[in-house]
Amino acid sequence: MVLDRGQELSDFLRRLRNRTPPDRTGLPGGMASRRRAPGLRREELAALAGISVDWYTRLEQGRAERPSPSVLDALSRALDVTADERAHLYALARGERPPLHRVVSESVDPSLARVLRFLPADVPAYILGFRWDVLAWNRGACELLVDFEAIPAARRNLVELTFLDQALSERYVEWNDVAQSTLANFRASIGRHVDVPEVQELVAHLMECDARFAAWWRDHWVAEKSTGTKLFRGDGGVPFAMRFESLLSPSAPDQRIIMYSPIELRPTPGTHNGDT
């Protein structure tokens, strides 16, 4: 058996249409009565979604070109789909995840919360939301980076803290490299969310408050990284290295957990372990 994307989309739309009771849609009584099959007719769904019957028919038959996000969202509203069904509709129709709606609050993904809870105390870790707000953390993350508990929730954003929090910037031996890498990674991860108001507000705030952020943002650096190494200042200014690993949630792919583990610093050429 060979799966065909167009046929999968056709079958999925037909199933969604057939399960939607006409009396839940606000259709005029005449349109919802005297039907042989349950669910909506094609012309009824097209009317609810504000698209032409011909366009929807071609879409359901697998003959339409790649539908726009506005069409898919209109169909999602008319069919009263769940978040998972909307994501599946986008995957079949466009081969991508759907853009986010306006976010009032973001809950921590339960699977990532469990990982964070069961990590050893000496493994610094935190969970980032879709625009890199720090949603949850352990004590190790506070000791390595900054005391997240002491920071107001509205300012608890990793990109903002990297650029505007002096305590955090002083923790990095090579702040310039860390800041540029963080910004390039952030930009790559929010590419499909640039029209979300919360993202626009964050970027506008940082461009106004930090000239380096503004300059680098205009350069459009993009580099999504899931692992890397950072140098930190320890007691007495002695540097130590930590490797970070970033894992996306399988059920909430706009959230990720970042975990740190120590690595041994390699001596620079011309030195040995006993050098000071």
Side-chain angles (χ1 to χ4, degrees), residues 2 9 69 91 135 169 194 236:
V2 178
L9 175 61
L135 304 179
S169 64
V194 292

Side-chain angles (χ1 to χ4, degrees), residues 121-122 124 138-148 171 240:
D122 60 349
N138 62 12
R139 174 45 53 184
C142 293
E143 294 174 352
L144 178 66
L145 299 173
V146 66
D147 187 359
F148 293 113
R171 293 286 287 158
F240 64 95

Side-chain angles (χ1 to χ4, degrees), residues 226-263:
S226 59
T227 186
T229 302
K230 296 179 183 179
L231 286 177
F232 293 88
R233 288 189 175 88
D235 295 338
V238 178
F240 64 95
M242 300 285 283
R243 174 173 292 279
F244 68 86
E245 307 285 344
S246 174
L247 299 177
L248 289 173
S249 164
S251 55
D254 291 300
Q255 291 187 20
R256 65 195 69 203
I257 185 169
I258 316 295
M259 299 167 288
Y260 283 85
S261 58
I263 60 173

Side-chain angles (χ1 to χ4, degrees), residues 172-226:
Y172 296 120
V173 174
E174 300 168 330
W175 178 88
N176 200 74
D177 291 342
V178 170
Q180 291 187 17
S181 178
T182 298
L183 178 54
N185 201 353
F186 168 71
R187 184 153 203 162
S189 73
I190 53 92
R192 70 190 186 94
H193 305 317
V194 292
D195 57 346
V196 175
E198 287 83 356
V199 172
Q200 296 182 356
E201 292 165 5
L202 173 63
V203 173
H205 170 66
L206 290 172
M207 291 190 73
E208 179 181 354
C209 294
D210 192 279
R212 294 163 300 184
F213 178 94
W216 295 341
W217 181 263
R218 295 188 187 99
D219 286 335
H220 282 263
W221 289 337
V222 178
E224 193 158 13
K225 296 180 65 176
S226 59

Side-chain angles (χ1 to χ4, degrees), residues 3-11 90-96:
L3 294 177
D4 178 79
R5 183 186 295 274
Q7 186 60 50
E8 288 290 305
L9 175 61
S10 176
D11 292 345
Y90 264 81
L92 293 176
R94 296 179 59 83
E96 61 188 35

